[in-house]
Amino acid sequence: MTAALETQALGRRYGSQWALQGCTLEIPRGAVTALVGPNGAGKTTLLRLAVGLTRPSAGSVRVFGLDPREQAAEALPRVGFLAQEHPLYGGFSIEEMLRVGRELNPGWDDEAAHARIAELDLPLEKKVRTLSGGQRAQVALTIALAKRPELLLLDEPVASLDPLARREFMQSILEAVAERELTVVLSSHILADLERVCDHLVILATGRTQLVGSIDEIVAEHRLLTGPRDAAEDVTRMHDIVRESHADRQTTLLVKANGHIYDSRWTVHELDLEEIVLAYLGQDAARRREAVLS
Amino acid sequence: MTWLSWRQQRTETIVAAALLALLAVVFVPEGIHIADYFVSHHVARCVDSQTQACSLVIGNFALSAGTLGALFDSGWLNLVPGLIGVALAVPLLLDLENGTIRLAWTQSVTRRRWLASKLGFAVGTVLLVAGCLTLLLTWYQRPFAQVYGRWDHFDFEWIVPFGYALFALGLALAIGVLLRRSAAALVVAFGIYVVGRIFVESWLRKRFIAPVSATLRSQNPNLHNAWVISEQPSNRAGHPFNGTPGVFQHCAKVGAKGFKILDPRCMERHGAGFTHVVYQPASRFWEFQGIETALFGGVALLLIAFAAWRVLASD
């Protein structure tokens, strides 16, 4: 079965600046993936490429094996997208927004859309421009879900929401995933927003993919090692070093382990996801500092 | 898609319809009054007559146009097709400005279909409104056209308003996709519309087809409702008269009924007595309507195509 989303050396350039470069990843069907990275890492660009809003400058992107730009007629009905600013027609009522969804989507589930709005306690005749940020986000999500996509892309869906609206929004996504087979990709620069709902993780930094995989595997693979400085070289040969720090005689390594670490000179600690993500993002920040200095 | 396109331009369509209604309220009663006057005072009979009684009838008829005649002469009505065209570009420009284009493009319809529907609605509405406008004004002007010919109101009648309105729509769309700021784009587009119209009307139009020149033996030749571009006293060969006004006194003589008239032979001896006219004959009216409509309509289509290309290729 083809992956829900697959990219090969995908890149997008604006002028001389690469917003995304050499991005290769594969997101399996049914996964709920957190797309994490600092601001400007290319998260929005990646999602926009996946839904065909943007054309690649290099490489390729496929959703369910389809080119979202060239095969838009087949690909578009299968992908839902929620832009960061939750664009809606301000002068329309909620009822009219639902009609937009109905008119533009052959697979539209009108009953589910109305049920969700009723559940949210939103009057159908209320104008979109009078809604709060959280309500707008919910209406936009309702439209994206009622389209019945197989892949749902959400760009910073909760960035503009207060904590309560954030929780309700995430709850809605969990419910949607529980109801039927749905692949979801959510981007955020704050991992805490996503950790509760996601089972896969993509770390994107300086426009490149740093890490792709299921969260369980990622947590299982990464270890913090402390040990003598002179033993560091042996570890480097075997495993990928994410971050290292050296004191006088003691060295601390955060490694992505390729297999078990048997060396008895090292004390091995387990890590939680946030520590791992921070290590990758810290690595990225260090690299950027170097780039500026050199 | 059809419903969305309609819903998005509902406000603009209502505004355009209200503008039309306002013009209809002004023009319809007046038009009925003038058509009645034309019939009841037998104006048609005097069209080609030179008698004094008839010139009085024609003169009174001209006065019956009143303030609306002044409205035509002032040229303000030229702005109406521009306003209509620019207004109907607003829905698409707002989509671009507000980012709602990203909402539409991530539903299940392709960009091409979405754009075809939106442009189809905008162009269709512009043509419909321009059609109502030209119908109203052409109908209103009909009695006057029988007396003075059609050139006087070339800009308001028959098919040219379609070209003008489309031109304004195309300008607003093309400038809008470049600037991405609707309000600024509308102002700039309307400015260019006015400048373009003035340029064509005052400079280009008379050059569509080389005008006819003629030297006629008369102070006031009858050119059968031609569009007179220039007219000056001249000698038989058409060279302009360059004598002094004293000649007119010198050649004046008292005619049969006691009126002072100019002696033609005396005038001719002094290098005058003729009128050199440059004009477009009335028979070219339709040709000119066609050329002007094709010019504005053609530029409009290019501008709309440019805007469509920019929108489809954007990302």
Side-chain angles (χ1 to χ4, degrees):
Chain A
M1 202 158 68
T2 49
L5 174 64
E6 190 177 0
T7 69
Q8 274 295 333
L10 182 65
R12 170 67 207 202
R13 197 177 51 201
Y14 292 100
S16 62
Q17 201 75 30
W18 286 90
L20 185 72
Q21 202 175 6
C23 170
T24 299
L25 57 84
E26 193 180 315
I27 289 169
R29 295 190 189 200
V32 179
T33 305
L35 178 59
V36 180
N39 291 325
K43 303 188 296 292
T44 299
T45 305
L46 175 60
L47 293 178
R48 293 178 53 140
L49 283 160
V51 72
L53 279 175
T54 300
R55 213 194 292 270
S57 313
S60 70
V61 55
R62 293 284 180 273
V63 287
F64 304 106
L66 298 164
D67 184 320
R69 191 69 178 235
E70 302 305 322
Q71 293 165 290
E74 297 105 87
L76 273 178
R78 302 176 71 177
V79 188
F81 177 72
L82 198 56
Q84 186 174 353
E85 58 278 22
H86 310 131
L88 296 171
Y89 301 115
F92 284 32
S93 66
I94 294 176
E95 173 83 76
E96 285 174 318
M97 276 315 309
L98 296 186
R99 180 151 184 201
V100 171
R102 189 162 76 232
E103 301 266 334
L104 299 188
N105 297 293
W108 180 258
D109 186 344
D110 208 40
E111 212 175 302
H114 279 86
R116 270 215 79 207
I117 295 298
E119 217 173 285
L120 293 164
D121 256 341
L122 290 172
L124 281 169
E125 63 283 355
K126 205 164 160 63
K127 285 260 190 281
V128 163
R129 77 161 69 84
T130 64
L131 299 177
S132 72
Q135 290 170 331
R136 273 180 73 100
Q138 286 287 7
V139 172
L141 179 66
T142 302
I143 293 169
L145 287 174
K147 181 185 176 182
R148 299 192 69 79
E150 294 163 56
L151 170 64
L152 181 60
L153 307 170
L154 307 161
D155 189 12
E156 299 271 1
V158 294
S160 60
L161 305 185
D162 62 59
L164 183 65
R166 237 170 237 229
R167 202 161 56 181
E168 284 171 355
F169 189 92
M170 284 303 184
Q171 192 58 40
S172 304
I173 294 190
L174 276 179
E175 284 163 16
V177 172
E179 266 170 38
R180 62 198 169 91
E181 165 100 4
L182 178 65
T183 311
V184 183
V185 180
L186 307 109
S187 78
S188 179
H189 59 283
I190 305 162
L191 179 71
D193 288 337
L194 309 178
E195 202 175 359
R196 206 162 54 90
V197 298
C198 296
D199 50 34
H200 278 66
L201 179 72
V202 173
I203 296 181
L204 206 59
T206 33
R208 286 174 183 279
T209 34
Q210 303 266 318
L211 186 66
V212 185
S214 91
I215 288 178
D216 291 343
E217 278 170 28
I218 287 172
V219 172
E221 277 172 354
H222 288 80
R223 289 289 180 267
L224 188 71
L225 309 180
T226 41
R229 189 166 184 170
D230 52 5
E233 214 169 286
D234 297 336
V235 179
T236 314
R237 222 180 295 128
M238 283 280 295
H239 309 284
D240 300 329
I241 310 294
V242 179
R243 200 186 61 194
E244 53 191 314
S245 60
H246 304 284
D248 268 354
R249 282 157 62 202
Q250 187 181 284
T251 280
T252 309
L253 301 173
L254 199 155
V255 300
K256 183 175 176 225
N258 299 308
H260 228 292
I261 296 157
Y262 294 108
D263 198 324
S264 60
R265 287 173 295 177
W266 296 93
T267 328
V268 180
H269 307 273
E270 297 200 346
L271 290 158
D272 66 20
L273 186 62
E274 184 155 13
E275 289 172 300
I276 299 168
V277 170
L278 282 175
Y280 275 93
L281 299 184
Q283 184 190 32
D284 178 53
R287 206 170 295 155
R288 265 191 286 184
R289 270 197 301 277
E290 271 166 42
V292 170
L293 290 174
S294 63
Chain B
M1 192 65 232
T2 313
W3 175 81
L4 176 60
S5 300
W6 153 246
R7 176 60 184 87
Q8 279 193 287
Q9 67 163 53
R10 194 174 70 184
T11 311
E12 289 75 10
T13 311
I14 290 171
V15 168
L19 187 63
L20 272 182
L22 185 74
L23 289 172
V25 164
V26 175
F27 279 99
V28 169
E30 272 296 299
I32 292 170
H33 165 69
I34 284 162
D36 283 349
Y37 186 100
F38 189 80
V39 174
S40 62
H41 289 72
H42 309 291
V43 181
R45 242 188 270 158
C46 284
V47 167
D48 280 320
S49 169
Q50 302 282 334
T51 67
Q52 245 184 321
C54 264
S55 53
L56 196 64
V57 169
I58 299 282
N60 283 333
F61 173 64
L63 288 176
S64 72
T67 46
L68 286 189
L71 183 61
F72 272 98
D73 294 337
S74 68
W76 283 107
L77 285 174
N78 277 314
L79 301 182
V80 177
L83 287 173
I84 293 164
V86 164
L88 268 303
V90 171
L92 184 70
L93 299 188
L94 283 182
D95 248 350
L96 286 172
E97 185 175 300
N98 297 338
T100 40
I101 202 162
R102 287 200 285 281
L103 175 72
W105 284 0
T106 50
Q107 304 307 308
S108 300
V109 296
T110 57
R111 292 180 177 205
R112 216 174 266 275
R113 241 192 79 199
W114 174 85
L115 190 66
S117 170
K118 294 216 66 154
L119 287 181
F121 258 84
V123 169
T125 309
V126 162
L127 291 179
L128 189 70
V129 176
C132 293
L133 179 73
T134 184
L135 213 61
L136 177 70
L137 297 184
T138 307
W139 167 78
Y140 171 82
Q141 288 291 342
R142 214 173 43 143
F144 295 105
Q146 287 180 52
V147 179
Y148 301 109
R150 297 199 181 108
W151 287 110
D152 282 354
H153 304 296
F154 183 88
D155 297 349
F156 310 117
E157 292 185 21
W158 303 103
I159 56 173
V160 286
F162 292 104
Y164 300 153
L166 276 186
F167 175 59
L169 174 70
L171 277 174
L173 289 174
I175 294 167
V177 299
L178 288 178
L179 295 185
R180 296 259 165 172
R181 299 215 325 274
S182 315
L186 296 185
V187 172
V188 173
F190 197 69
I192 296 177
Y193 167 81
V194 171
V195 171
R197 287 289 313 275
I198 290 173
F199 166 71
V200 170
E201 188 177 330
S202 61
W203 191 84
L204 188 63
R205 186 185 296 158
K206 56 187 166 222
R207 292 169 169 80
F208 283 168
I209 304 174
V212 177
S213 308
T215 306
L216 303 166
R217 180 195 285 278
S218 169
Q219 299 298 316
N220 246 326
N222 182 6
L223 291 165
H224 304 286
N225 298 330
W227 170 23
V228 177
I229 293 162
S230 73
E231 187 177 28
Q232 52 183 340
S234 71
N235 65 11
R236 181 187 287 275
H239 299 302
F241 168 70
N242 52 11
T244 60
V247 172
F248 293 96
Q249 269 164 358
H250 175 72
C251 289
K253 64 174 189 183
V254 179
K257 286 181 182 166
F259 290 114
K260 257 190 172 183
I261 57 164
L262 293 168
D263 175 14
R265 254 176 277 164
C266 168
M267 290 291 285
E268 204 174 325
R269 271 201 310 279
H270 288 89
F274 288 83
T275 306
H276 184 75
V277 286
V278 177
Y279 67 100
Q280 300 285 2
S283 59
R284 287 184 181 174
F285 178 83
W286 285 110
E287 226 171 319
F288 272 61
Q289 281 265 325
I291 294 170
E292 181 133 341
T293 308
L295 175 68
F296 280 98
V299 172
L301 290 184
L302 287 178
L303 289 168
I304 292 170
F306 169 77
W309 168 72
R310 285 285 298 216
V311 168
L312 287 178
S314 71
D315 56 14

